[in-house]
Amino acid sequence: MPRPLVAIIDIAALQHNLTVAKRKTPQARVWAVVKANAYGHGLERALRGFAEADGLALIEPDAAVRLRDLGWRKPILLLEGCFDAVDFAIAAQYQFDIAIHCAEQIALLEQTRFPKPVNIHLKMNSGMNRLGFTPAAFAGAFGRLRDNPAVASITLMTHFANADDADNPALPLAEQLRRFQLGSAGLDAPVSVSNSGATLLHAGLTSHQVRPGVMLYGGSPGTAPAADFDLRPAMTLQSELIGIQQIHAGEAVGYGSRFVAPVPMSVGVVACGYADGYPRHAPTGTPILVQGMRTRVIGNISMDMLTVDLTPVPTAHVGSCVTLWGDDLPIDEVARAAGTIGYELMCAIAPRVRVTER
């Protein structure tokens, strides 16, 4: 029999969240981002949840091939482009859209024979300083691609560092836009600039194509709760109490004895630990639900277990349902308590965790 720990994926929530993205940007083509195994939700489920998307976007060429094998016939975009000549050959075979972010990729593109011209998404580094051509080099890269008969269309792309914090003094959103507009001035091509944060918070931006990611899975790209944007959690991580300990005041709980009971307490043991993807650094006080009632994690997270304060849940018993995040407990709230972001929790679900859907 399996452990009681299960990740429940809500296909209807995925569909709903895509609808929110489309409603926010009715003028734009929507690429549903499905990298990292659809943020831990599974590519097969993403195919059904995002069937109405205009295309799917990810970074892994092998996963892109799998999407084709699973039956996806609409466009697929490789967000980091191709990593070597083999990847370009695969992209040619499966007709992937390809991001181009450096001169080396253009050279590999020019060496690849395509059965028919491919669509290119030319990336500018507008200040995030990860991937992309500088604004000064952007037009030159565009011209080189435009003159290549293997290129069907070119989309101008950049990525915002602070869409959820537009006035960040280190790199304001307006400054990234200014650099992008300066570097792309005079280039006749559609624009793709909006990630989840821009889609939700800056829907008025000119973006002919949008690339929502975490919002599609019910996570917030910023500090505002996802529910404020009408987003629904697509993943609920549930387990059960597998033990209960009655401890006296002054007794400690877990590795390192970090939590010491101030009064006599009932402590519940949950079948979930850091080997399952729960954050090991989640401190005492991290919210958790037992029998639908809010309580807190106490003590250090173990590999296979964590402990909770059952004081608010006097009727709890071995077998009581525990919600780690999801329904009635936003994943972003758990992530903030643990000093991380919801993206990481979604993607960290371990292979040993059973996954079902509804």
Side-chain angles (χ1 to χ4, degrees):
M1 296 293 292
R3 293 169 74 216
L5 181 63
V6 58
I8 305 165
I9 309 301
D10 188 338
I11 302 298
L14 296 174
Q15 295 167 337
H16 170 82
N17 296 335
L18 175 63
T19 299
V20 173
K22 293 168 77 75
R23 187 170 67 236
K24 284 280 188 179
T25 56
Q27 80 289 349
R29 295 179 65 196
V30 176
W31 294 94
V33 179
V34 296
K35 61 184 179 179
N37 194 29
Y39 287 57
H41 294 66
L43 288 178
E44 297 91 339
R45 299 176 194 89
L47 280 178
R48 286 179 284 135
F50 306 141
E52 298 304 314
D54 297 296
L56 300 179
L58 71 173
I59 67 168
E60 307 93 346
D62 54 336
V65 171
R66 187 173 168 216
L67 288 172
R68 287 286 190 236
D69 291 342
L70 288 169
W72 183 264
R73 294 293 171 258
K74 289 193 271 187
I76 295 173
L77 167 60
L78 295 175
L79 287 166
E80 291 182 358
C82 297
F83 302 103
D84 55 31
V86 172
D87 291 338
F88 273 97
I90 291 171
Q93 178 182 353
Y94 289 93
Q95 284 293 292
F96 298 147
D97 284 29
I98 306 170
I100 293 288
H101 60 76
C102 62
E104 290 82 359
Q105 287 183 326
I106 294 181
L108 285 172
L109 174 73
E110 291 169 342
Q111 296 167 22
T112 303
R113 290 184 173 273
F114 289 87
K116 65 178 183 178
V118 293
N119 299 321
I120 297 300
H121 299 245
L122 180 62
K123 188 163 190 175
M124 181 192 295
N125 172 15
S126 57
M128 195 167 186
N129 292 320
R130 298 194 310 184
L131 301 177
F133 292 89
T134 64
F138 198 67
F142 179 88
R144 188 172 170 184
L145 291 168
R146 182 195 54 205
D147 295 339
N148 187 337
V151 174
S153 69
I154 305 174
T155 297
L156 312 181
M157 180 171 69
T158 195
H159 193 72
F160 294 133
N162 299 306
D164 58 325
D165 183 19
D167 297 322
N168 188 303
L171 184 63
L173 178 66
E175 174 59 17
Q176 279 201 266
L177 279 171
R178 186 193 70 81
R179 295 177 188 180
F180 181 73
Q181 290 163 356
L182 181 66
S184 61
L187 304 183
D188 185 16
V191 167
S192 173
V193 299
S194 293
N195 54 8
S196 285
T199 299
L200 291 172
L201 300 170
H202 309 283
L205 289 176
T206 299
S207 192
H208 305 102
Q209 303 177 22
V210 296
R211 310 184 306 273
V214 75
M215 67 170 288
L216 299 180
Y217 305 95
S220 172
T223 56
D228 286 3
F229 302 109
D230 189 30
L231 300 174
R232 300 176 186 171
M235 176 191 291
T236 296
L237 186 64
Q238 280 188 349
S239 191
E240 294 178 2
L241 293 182
I242 59 172
I244 296 177
Q245 298 291 337
Q246 305 297 332
I247 65 173
H248 302 292
E251 288 194 283
V253 176
Y255 286 117
S257 300
R258 298 291 178 85
F259 178 83
V260 178
V263 296
M265 292 179 63
S266 180
V267 175
V269 181
V270 181
C272 181
Y274 62 77
D276 301 299
Y278 197 85
R280 183 180 180 275
H281 48 280
T284 291
T286 300
I288 195 166
L289 304 182
V290 178
Q291 294 183 176
M293 300 180 67
R294 182 175 288 245
T295 184
R296 58 179 180 149
V297 170
I298 57 174
N300 275 350
I301 307 300
S302 301
M303 180 180 286
D304 311 304
M305 292 172 277
L306 57 84
T307 46
V308 299
D309 179 2
L310 294 181
T311 304
V313 198
T315 60
H317 54 85
V318 170
S320 287
C321 181
V322 177
T323 300
L324 290 304
W325 61 69
D327 291 341
D328 301 316
L329 181 57
I331 192 170
D332 296 313
E333 185 178 349
V334 177
R336 279 193 298 273
T340 185
I341 54 176
Y343 304 66
E344 182 179 15
L345 301 190
M346 293 177 189
C347 296
I349 292 296
R352 75 175 186 175
V353 176
R354 184 165 47 102
V355 181
T356 64
E357 61 186 63
R358 63 178 177 219

